[in-house]
Amino acid sequence: MLALVDADIICHRVGFTTENDEEWIARVRCNEMIETMLHETGANEYQLWLSGALENNFRYHICPEYKANRLGKPKPKHYDFIKEHMITEWGAQITYDQEADDALGIEQVKYLMNDIVVEHKINVQQLTPETICSSIICSIDKDLYQIPGNHYNFVKKEQYFVTPEDGLRTFYKQLLIGDTGDNIPGCPGIGVVRASKALNGISNEEQLLGAVYTLYTKAIPGLDRHQLDARILQAGQLLKIRTKKDEVWQLPDFQK
């Protein structure tokens, strides 16, 4: 099993819990977190991914306000030390024009394609929890629920499986909710409960997008179709986790 590890989360979680400790304690806790993760997932291989600089991130060029609400917020005391430790001791890789989430999505789908399409000769859309997959995403980031396959929340100690339908529904749910942490607005008045209720039971992408447009139209009646398209397109490009390099989400053809 290959563990695909969100190392950004480790930098922050270890960093904030060692604010009053020396560097060596941060190093030990970092190692313990990774080693425990590998043990609990049964992984014998791993990849650690770190996000590169925001100014190089393709999302920032789509919307300069992306993550602007985080500017000026202090990083954990040992953030840079932990990051460097993971690079030198664990071989962590830094993304350039995207985020760690995107790298995890790309790698997971690459392994899924090999596991499912090449070895088992079935379509990815036929993926089920019973399908044996050789990789697992280790993170606590809800955005990664868009990516099908094995997942492990190393804080809650929960392992779960995302089907392609679940992943697609998660993305369209995010289009409604937005992401306040990343400064991405959603549909006014729509939170997790209303978004989940509106999309519950829908797995067809055309119907999912239709439901999103219906709620946006009701919430912001003053927008014309061009303005509505532009708003949903930008939100989608910011929220969609990549499954292949240089992927940028576009409105599906049936909606244009």
Side-chain angles (χ1 to χ4, degrees):
M1 179 70 74
L2 170 69
L4 300 168
V5 180
D6 186 345
D8 286 346
I9 302 293
I10 297 175
C11 282
H12 284 89
R13 290 196 70 87
V14 174
F16 281 124
T17 59
T18 57
E19 287 284 274
N20 299 318
D21 299 314
E22 298 178 23
E23 284 185 347
W24 72 269
I25 295 179
R27 181 178 65 250
V28 169
R29 290 190 184 173
C30 176
N31 291 343
E32 287 178 344
M33 181 174 285
I34 298 171
E35 289 165 358
T36 300
M37 201 181 306
L38 299 180
H39 173 73
E40 291 174 341
T41 58
N44 53 8
E45 298 179 86
Y46 60 86
Q47 293 179 13
L48 273 64
W49 288 94
L50 292 157
S51 297
L54 176 60
E55 58 267 25
N56 296 327
N57 190 325
F58 78 94
R59 293 180 177 84
Y60 177 78
H61 298 289
I62 290 172
C63 177
E65 295 304 308
Y66 178 65
K67 292 190 175 180
N69 53 332
R70 300 191 187 187
L71 295 177
K73 290 187 177 180
K75 292 181 180 179
K77 178 181 175 181
H78 299 309
Y79 181 91
D80 292 331
F81 170 78
I82 297 166
K83 182 175 180 179
E84 185 62 26
H85 171 68
M86 286 194 289
I87 293 171
T88 58
E89 299 300 322
W90 289 93
Q93 302 174 71
I94 301 177
T95 62
Y96 176 72
D97 63 345
Q98 56 188 9
E99 298 177 36
D101 289 358
D102 299 300
L104 297 178
I106 291 168
E107 291 297 311
Q108 176 101 318
V109 170
K110 181 176 74 175
Y111 280 89
L112 281 177
M113 292 297 289
N114 182 69
D115 292 336
I116 307 306
V117 179
V118 178
E119 293 192 14
H120 299 291
K121 310 298 183 184
I122 63 174
N123 190 285
V124 170
Q125 296 306 314
Q126 297 173 289
L127 192 66
T128 70
E130 288 71 40
T131 307
I132 297 175
C133 302
S134 61
S135 65
I136 183 166
I137 289 176
C138 300
S139 179
I140 62 172
D141 194 329
K142 65 184 184 304
D143 295 338
L144 283 162
Y145 296 177
Q146 297 176 28
I147 306 300
N150 295 314
H151 290 254
Y152 180 65
N153 183 317
F154 54 84
V155 172
K156 293 183 178 180
K157 308 292 185 182
E158 294 177 352
Q159 187 167 329
Y160 54 96
F161 191 90
V162 174
T163 66
E165 292 81 7
D166 291 337
L168 189 64
R169 193 180 300 109
T170 294
F171 169 66
Y172 280 97
K173 188 185 297 183
Q174 286 298 113
L175 277 179
L176 289 171
I177 300 169
D179 191 330
T180 55
D182 288 343
N183 204 33
I184 304 171
C187 182
I190 301 295
V192 175
V193 174
R194 288 190 64 187
S196 299
K197 183 177 180 180
L199 304 182
N200 184 42
I202 305 176
S203 58
N204 175 278
E205 185 169 19
E206 184 171 2
Q207 294 176 346
L208 286 167
L209 187 56
V212 167
Y213 267 82
T214 297
L215 289 171
Y216 266 93
T217 300
K218 290 180 179 179
I220 321 175
L223 292 183
D224 60 30
R225 180 52 185 266
H226 176 75
Q227 293 170 320
L228 188 57
D229 284 350
R231 176 163 179 157
I232 292 176
L233 175 62
Q234 184 183 74
Q237 290 179 339
L238 298 176
L239 291 164
K240 182 71 171 64
I241 302 298
R242 283 178 165 176
T243 57
K244 57 184 178 180
K245 183 67 176 172
D246 300 326
E247 177 184 34
V248 179
W249 186 74
Q250 300 295 331
L251 285 170
D253 290 336
F254 55 72
Q255 192 66 19
K256 294 178 181 178

